[in-house]
Amino acid sequence: MPGDDGYFDERVAARYDEGEPEMFDPAVVDPAVDFLVELAGEGRALELAIGTGRIALPLAQRGVPVHGIDMSKAMVARLREKPGGDDIGVTIGDFATTTVEGTFSVAYLVFNTIQNLTTQAGQVACFRNVAAHLEPGGCFVIEVGVPSLRRLPPGETIRAFHLSETRWGIDEFDVANQGLISHHFQIVDGRVERNSVPFRYVWPEELDLMAQLAGMSLRERWSGWKREPFTSESLKHVSVWEKPRD
Ligand SMILES: C[S@@+](CC[C@H](N)C(=O)[O-])C[C@H]1O[C@@H](n2cnc3c(N)ncnc32)[C@H](O)[C@@H]1O
């Protein structure tokens, strides 16, 4: 069972930035930051699950005041080590329920992390928590994969999502409960290390209903940060829900 840092403990945090280096590539980060700068306007941004600051640091460098929430002190310690990392306020806690001072023009939760909340009630609580932190007219942005059930042959529950010389990734689905365990195996110093993380996969329309329960409505849905169209073939979506102005 995970400790206070959840699944992103010291061992995971130490290698987080190297684990998927492509996610730190400016070609991936810059369009997300551009998107968020535009929505932030003159206001502040709240990042749920700020982690090591992959998005928060470049966003702050663009002049947007950012505050973060994360349950992992180990991940936040990595953020603090980076240039500008000490200037970003972070509250340690569960992003579904943790409250922070002030209001925000944009809140965002990227890299599939809504799925780290493993119950529907937890995901609904997250939307309600965000709505309570947004200014009127403020926006909540989520980046998350479309559940990959179309790739699961009938009767199968296991799907490999990564295979390389030193790393293997296998998703194990519990379709009846919208559950998913991502098993990561990696060779480190000649030994195989395993990290199995539970998720609750969630459909775009279900997220819209969660937004509605929290008093928000869908404003935009794209398949990427450059506002590519969202279609039946899209593997992920970037969705924006808005809190009413009055
Ligand atoms: C995949 S990382 C994403 C970090 C960062 N947003 C990024 O894009 O690189 C997921 C982060 O979510 C945090 N996290 C997961 N579940 C959480 C929860 N319920 N409350 C707060 N933080 C959580 C982890 O500690 C970790 O830092």
Side-chain angles (χ1 to χ4, degrees), residues 35-45 59 64-65 104-106 135:
F35 193 101
L36 294 167
V37 166
E38 196 183 303
L39 284 180
E42 300 297 307
R44 303 165 68 213
L59 185 59
V64 176
F104 298 84
S105 53
V106 65
E135 297 167 355

Side-chain angles (χ1 to χ4, degrees), residues 143-221:
E143 174 196 37
V144 62
V146 175
S148 54
L149 292 195
R150 288 173 74 199
R151 292 162 171 242
L152 202 62
E156 301 290 335
T157 56
I158 304 290
R159 187 175 91 83
F161 62 86
H162 185 87
L163 179 68
S164 65
E165 285 295 305
T166 55
R167 201 155 62 86
W168 306 274
I170 298 169
D171 277 342
E172 179 185 3
F173 287 84
D174 173 6
V175 177
N177 297 298
Q178 277 184 227
L180 166 66
I181 301 176
S182 279
H183 300 281
H184 299 258
F185 301 89
Q186 187 172 8
I187 298 180
V188 180
D189 299 331
R191 294 161 56 92
V192 176
E193 281 191 4
R194 173 184 165 186
N195 192 23
S196 294
V197 184
F199 296 97
R200 177 180 189 272
Y201 62 82
V202 58
W203 302 95
E205 294 270 329
E206 190 185 4
L207 291 170
D208 293 344
L209 192 55
M210 291 180 187
Q212 192 185 319
L213 290 172
M216 298 186 282
S217 57
L218 183 67
R219 173 176 136 152
E220 304 171 51
R221 170 161 293 136

Side-chain angles (χ1 to χ4, degrees), residues 16 40 71 107 141 155 171 219:
Y16 178 78
M71 64 164 42
V141 183
D171 277 342
R219 173 176 136 152

Side-chain angles (χ1 to χ4, degrees), residues 5 7-8 16 24 47-55 69-72 75 93-96 110-111 113 116-117:
D5 280 350
Y7 290 91
F8 291 77
Y16 178 78
F24 287 79
E47 178 163 2
L48 310 185
I50 190 168
T52 63
R54 186 178 65 90
I55 301 295
I69 299 176
D70 205 290
M71 64 164 42
S72 169
M75 291 288 277
D94 183 341
F95 62 70
V110 298
F111 204 174
T113 308
N116 287 58
L117 298 172

